[in-house]
Amino acid sequence: MAKKEPTYTWNQETGEATYTIYYKNLTFTGHAICHPEDKDMKSQMMGLTIAESRATLNYLRHIRDNDLRPQLKSLKQLMYSMNHSKQYNRKSYEARMLYRHIQMLEEDLKNIIEDISRIKFFLWRYMHEKEELHQILRKKRKAKSDQEITNEN
């Protein structure tokens, strides 16, 4: 099965962006809709950045909850069962490989959790900075229009 590239859509009239990630037979979608107060500042790049971040968050949460955690739980249960066996040899090839695989899954899980928190912070900071920029631009536009009105009089 060929890997499908992510898709995105942007609706200029509504200011709605959608980003879709395909993984196996699943789709993870992120949406961003321009707030009615921000219609004068809507941007395709901003909408798609927010939508992509949200889709990526959905994808990483799925990997964390449905792939890594169940695998790690079952391997730890296997290791627990093996530890309580009388024939268990801690230095055997199988035991060492199982332990390494558990360590790799724990590292992957830790990285996914860090990525999720990093993306959440990026999304919050990005939206906050854009809001501050929009407020500054609105003030400048208002000052410019006020100046033009006073020049006309």
Side-chain angles (χ1 to χ4, degrees):
M1 179 178 188
K3 182 179 177 185
K4 238 179 146 180
E5 292 296 316
T7 59
Y8 61 90
T9 59
W10 166 252
N11 186 331
Q12 181 64 32
E13 291 83 38
T14 62
E16 184 175 344
T18 305
Y19 191 88
T20 306
I21 297 172
Y22 302 97
Y23 172 72
K24 296 183 181 177
N25 292 329
L26 304 170
T27 59
F28 303 95
T29 305
H31 296 284
I33 301 171
C34 185
H35 194 274
E37 294 176 2
D38 295 332
K39 290 288 184 185
D40 59 329
M41 301 284 182
K42 67 182 167 190
S43 156
Q44 178 179 3
M45 188 175 119
M46 183 176 176
L48 289 175
T49 301
I50 293 169
E52 180 183 5
S53 297
R54 290 177 176 168
T56 303
L57 278 173
N58 291 336
Y59 167 72
L60 290 175
R61 286 178 182 142
H62 170 79
I63 297 296
R64 176 194 67 192
D65 297 337
N66 299 318
D67 285 351
L68 294 179
R69 283 187 175 157
Q71 285 179 21
L72 190 58
K73 183 179 177 183
S74 63
L75 289 179
K76 282 185 174 182
Q77 179 61 41
L78 177 61
M79 181 64 92
Y80 175 81
S81 298
M82 287 173 58
N83 281 335
H84 288 73
S85 170
K86 292 179 182 176
Q87 291 87 21
Y88 176 66
N89 179 4
R90 176 179 250 173
K91 296 180 180 182
S92 71
Y93 173 79
E94 293 81 9
R96 288 185 294 160
M97 291 306 294
L98 180 60
Y99 182 71
R100 274 193 210 136
H101 196 68
I102 289 172
Q103 285 181 322
M104 288 187 329
L105 283 175
E106 286 174 339
E107 186 67 25
D108 289 347
L109 184 59
K110 181 182 136 210
N111 291 337
I112 292 271
I113 291 170
E114 288 173 359
D115 287 346
I116 289 171
S117 64
R118 198 172 13 254
I119 291 171
K120 286 167 89 174
F121 178 72
F122 163 78
L123 192 55
W124 174 83
R125 189 184 74 221
Y126 183 77
M127 292 173 74
H128 184 71
E129 289 173 354
K130 290 296 182 179
E131 181 58 32
E132 288 176 351
L133 176 66
H134 291 174
Q135 289 175 358
I136 291 169
L137 289 173
R138 284 187 186 105
K139 285 179 185 177
K140 287 186 177 185
R141 286 180 183 173
K142 185 172 180 353
K144 187 176 180 182
S145 68
D146 289 347
Q147 184 181 14
E148 289 173 359
I149 291 172
T150 56
N151 288 342
E152 290 176 4
N153 294 336

